[in-house]
């Protein structure tokens, strides 16, 4: 069944994101903040992070290209970057940020430039993975709500039918019954 | 009285900029959250809302002071005096451009109108010297980022307890101001010894009271926060 496949896909994607160290506990905190009143919370935070961090990446690029390099400013930008990435549980990205800041504190320009490549790489990898994962989650929850709609319709039909059958004698007096109808009613009642 | 997050959604309204102009609901804690990071602001706002709080989130210390009505420059112009709802708790990031969380803390504690408001500092850096400085300036607590739901729940719990105790003290004081003079004399004695007795009866005790009355017994649950352990040792 499609839904089961989706469910398994979601579960295994999620597991590997944690197992491979892309995400940590903080991501679980975000998931726990999502509910019926805020069904897209995780997606919203992730989107916000990627918009915000793209801006920071541009700032860092600029700072790294300027001569002389303002390490203070760099550290400031990276501090913000690291803060946001740790707030969404982006483990690998956060670790690369930490490495960068060490080169920054040592005023090692070469180290900073190399380290920054790593930051951008992890940032991009996680972005792709999260896009796919969250899309799958959305597909799954859409399929769930589809099933819920179908199931509730079926339930509604059963309940209203049983109500009708229970009151069949009353309706029967209204509409008139035949022996065949009464037999049919008994069959319905036994199956239900 | 722990509030179930599942029930809270029926009561809280979602505001985009967090400026809630409805009449104050005395049951809900109103928190002013200050953080320059968009992501962190969104997360802290949600954490607070899910803990049944009213939230006003601002992006700088300056705006926080404006909201409180403490900004000297604005005050002169502000004739309609928009001070919004009464703020029960301020939770602020430490590292912010312009005014740091520490400077905001100082300004709040130095103001006669707002010094009673508990201020909690958040920081990604777990530096003891920084924590000490903040606590000495009167910070209620210090949370290391990233902020978790358990951190927020803990803070809201003791803020609610403090508020309730404050109201009880108010109520008790009002009763004592009543007719019976004999009771009034006894009441004064009670007031001086009341903090320890209320602390021992509640499970989530206030750490700031622990500094004022060092003999106050605290239950094990209050020692969860490393800051509280720090406070305990510094007060001893």
């Amino acid at each position: 069944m499609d839904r089961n496949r989706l469910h398994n896909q979601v579960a295994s994607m999620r597991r590997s994101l944690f197992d491979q160290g892309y995400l940590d506990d903080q991501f679980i905190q975000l998931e726990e903040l999502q509910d019926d009143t805020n069904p897209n919370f995780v997606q919203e935070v992730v989107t916000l992070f990627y918009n915000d961090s793209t801006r920071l990446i541009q700032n860092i690029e600029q700072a790294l290209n300027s001569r002389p390099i303002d390490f203070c400013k760099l550290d400031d930008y990276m501090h913000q970057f690291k803060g946001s990435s740790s707030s969404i549980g982006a483990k690998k990205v956060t670790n690369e940020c930490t490495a960068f800041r060490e080169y920054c504190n040592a005023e090692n320009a070469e180290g900073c430039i190399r380290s920054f490549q790593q930051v951008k790489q992890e940032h991009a990898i996680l972005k792709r993975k999260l896009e796919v994962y969250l899309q799958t989650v959305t597909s799954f929850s859409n399929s769930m709500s589809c099933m819920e709609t179908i199931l509730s319709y079926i339930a509604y039909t059963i309940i209203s039918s049983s109500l009708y059958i229970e009151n069949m004698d009353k309706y029967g007096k209204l509409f008139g019954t035949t022996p065949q109808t009464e037999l049919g009613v008994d069959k319905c009642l036994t199956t239900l | 009285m722990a509030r179930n997050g599942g029930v809270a959604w029926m009561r809280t309204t979602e505001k985009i900029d967090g400026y809630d102009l409805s009449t104050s609901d005395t049951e809900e804690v109103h928190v002013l959250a200050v953080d320059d990071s968009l992501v962190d602001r969104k997360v802290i706002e949600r954490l607070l809302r899910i803990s049944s709080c009213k939230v006003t989130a601002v992006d700088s210390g300056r705006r926080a002071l404006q909201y409180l009505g403490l900004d000297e420059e604005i005050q002169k112009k502000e004739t309609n005096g928009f001070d919004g709802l009464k703020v029960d708790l301020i939770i602020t990031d430490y590292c912010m451009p312009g005014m740091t969380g520490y400077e905001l803390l100082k300004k709040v504690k130095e103001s006669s109108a707002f010094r009673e408001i508990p201020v909690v500092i958040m920081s990604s850096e777990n530096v003891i010297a920084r924590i000490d400085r903040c606590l000495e300036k009167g910070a209620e607590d210090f949370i290391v980022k990233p902020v978790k739901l358990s951190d927020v729940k803990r803070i809201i719990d003791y803020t609610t307890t403090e508020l309730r105790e404050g109201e009880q003290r108010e109520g008790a004081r009002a009763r004592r101001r009543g007719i019976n003079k004999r009771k009034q004399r006894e009441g004064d004695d009670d007031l001086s010894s009341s903090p320890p007795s209320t602390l021992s009866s509640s499970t989530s005790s206030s750490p700031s009271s622990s500094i004022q009355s060092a003999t106050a017994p605290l239950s094990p649950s209050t020692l969860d926060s490393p800051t509280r352990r720090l406070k305990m040792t510094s007060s001893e």
Side-chain angles (χ1 to χ4, degrees):
Chain A
M1 218 184 162
D2 231 19
R3 207 167 36 88
N4 278 337
R5 188 171 55 81
L6 273 175
H7 181 265
N8 292 337
Q9 246 181 326
V10 167
S12 80
M13 272 185 182
R14 192 176 171 279
R15 211 171 23 243
S16 82
L17 281 169
F18 283 97
D19 287 347
Q20 291 173 21
Y22 287 102
L23 296 176
D24 63 27
D25 279 350
Q26 191 60 21
F27 190 81
I28 299 176
Q29 285 285 316
L30 296 186
E31 288 176 320
E32 288 177 356
L33 292 175
Q34 187 163 289
D35 61 17
D36 290 337
T37 65
N38 271 269
N40 302 309
F41 183 71
V42 178
Q43 177 69 74
E44 285 166 13
V45 179
V46 169
T47 306
L48 202 59
F49 169 70
Y50 275 102
N51 290 340
D52 198 41
S53 55
T54 304
R55 177 186 58 89
L56 281 168
I57 285 176
Q58 284 168 1
N59 290 342
I60 296 171
E61 295 271 22
Q62 255 179 355
L64 278 174
N65 288 331
S66 62
R67 294 286 177 279
I69 293 183
D70 185 345
F71 287 102
C72 228
K73 209 186 234 182
L74 264 181
D75 187 65
D76 204 32
Y77 289 139
M78 195 42 90
H79 175 256
Q80 291 178 49
F81 195 106
K82 185 182 166 190
S84 311
S85 64
S86 97
S87 289
I88 72 159
K91 196 176 184 183
K92 286 196 181 190
V93 177
T94 307
N95 290 342
E96 294 302 336
C97 290
T98 307
F100 180 97
R101 289 185 84 196
E102 280 170 20
Y103 286 117
C104 211
N105 288 337
E107 301 206 350
N108 181 343
E110 274 296 311
C112 282
I113 292 167
R114 264 184 293 121
S115 182
F116 189 55
Q117 295 311 311
Q118 291 291 96
V119 171
K120 284 193 290 185
Q121 199 176 13
E122 289 300 338
H123 182 257
I125 291 171
L126 180 66
K127 184 173 186 188
R128 267 199 320 273
K129 285 186 182 277
L130 281 176
E131 268 168 11
V132 177
Y133 169 67
L134 292 171
Q135 217 161 45
T136 317
V137 170
T138 311
S139 305
F140 174 66
S141 49
N142 284 345
S143 77
M144 274 306 292
S145 53
C146 210
M147 272 312 290
E148 279 167 1
T149 314
I150 294 171
L151 284 171
S152 42
Y153 177 73
I154 292 172
Y156 168 78
T157 316
I158 292 173
I159 291 168
S160 51
S161 312
S162 57
L163 273 174
Y164 178 77
I165 288 164
E166 271 174 34
N167 297 295
M168 191 73 100
D169 54 343
K170 287 189 220 153
Y171 294 128
K173 292 195 180 81
L174 285 173
F175 304 119
T177 51
T178 64
Q180 280 169 318
T181 325
E182 283 172 2
L183 254 170
V185 169
D186 286 327
K187 232 184 176 174
C188 278
L189 285 169
T190 46
T191 34
L192 283 171
Chain B
M1 177 184 70
R3 202 172 272 263
N4 186 351
V7 176
W9 72 265
M10 287 194 278
R11 304 189 47 161
T12 43
T13 47
E14 292 290 320
K15 299 275 178 206
I16 297 168
D17 62 359
Y19 283 93
D20 194 333
L21 298 172
S22 60
T23 53
S24 173
D25 181 355
T26 49
E27 288 181 23
E28 282 184 337
V29 177
H30 179 214
V31 185
L32 178 61
V34 192
D35 202 320
D36 60 316
S37 160
L38 265 162
V39 174
D40 288 350
R41 232 177 13 254
K42 186 167 174 80
V43 175
I44 194 75
E45 205 170 345
R46 181 73 187 134
L47 282 168
L48 289 165
R49 288 230 163 93
I50 223 173
S51 308
S52 317
C53 298
K54 277 200 166 68
V55 190
T56 301
V58 298
D59 64 359
S60 70
R62 181 81 190 279
R63 281 212 217 283
L65 291 178
Q66 281 173 18
Y67 184 80
L68 290 169
L70 272 178
D71 191 341
E72 294 102 33
E73 286 175 41
I74 297 279
Q75 235 168 14
K76 292 168 193 162
K77 300 178 211 165
E78 200 100 43
T79 46
N80 89 343
F82 174 68
D83 52 7
L85 288 172
K86 178 176 162 290
V87 171
D88 299 313
L89 170 71
I90 298 171
I91 188 163
T92 176
D93 187 24
Y94 186 93
C95 278
M96 293 189 291
M99 188 185 294
T100 66
Y102 179 74
E103 284 159 10
L104 175 62
L105 166 70
K106 265 202 323 185
K107 285 239 152 68
V108 169
K109 292 301 168 188
E110 282 163 9
S111 90
S112 49
F114 300 106
R115 71 161 70 99
E116 291 303 313
I117 302 179
V119 181
V120 174
I121 311 278
M122 304 181 279
S123 177
S124 51
E125 256 113 75
N126 194 358
V127 178
I128 296 288
R130 183 180 286 187
I131 299 175
D132 272 345
R133 227 164 43 118
C134 292
L135 295 179
E136 275 162 28
K137 210 58 193 182
E140 194 68 29
D141 206 338
F142 191 101
I143 309 176
V144 179
K145 281 180 161 183
V147 185
K148 299 188 174 358
L149 191 57
S150 53
D151 296 324
V152 173
K153 278 199 155 36
R154 190 187 75 231
I155 288 166
I156 300 302
D157 273 346
Y158 69 65
T159 304
T160 317
T161 314
E162 271 191 37
L163 281 176
R164 231 182 286 128
E165 282 173 6
E167 281 166 20
Q168 283 172 8
R169 277 196 289 270
E170 276 299 310
R173 246 178 257 135
R175 281 196 300 277
R176 278 186 222 111
R177 274 188 240 112
I179 313 156
N180 198 326
K181 285 181 184 169
R182 180 169 159 274
K183 274 193 176 164
Q184 231 176 8
R185 253 185 287 119
E186 285 175 355
D188 286 340
D189 296 332
D190 284 347
L191 195 60
S192 58
S193 62
S194 66
S197 59
T198 46
L199 278 173
S200 56
S201 59
S202 68
T203 48
S204 49
S205 331
S206 152
S208 60
S209 313
S210 77
I211 286 189
Q212 292 153 17
S213 51
T215 51
L218 291 176
S219 61
S221 61
T222 63
L223 298 176
D224 287 344
S225 158
T227 12
R228 244 171 278 207
R229 261 180 256 128
L230 212 66
K231 273 190 167 182
M232 286 289 291
T233 51
S234 62
S235 66
E236 279 164 23

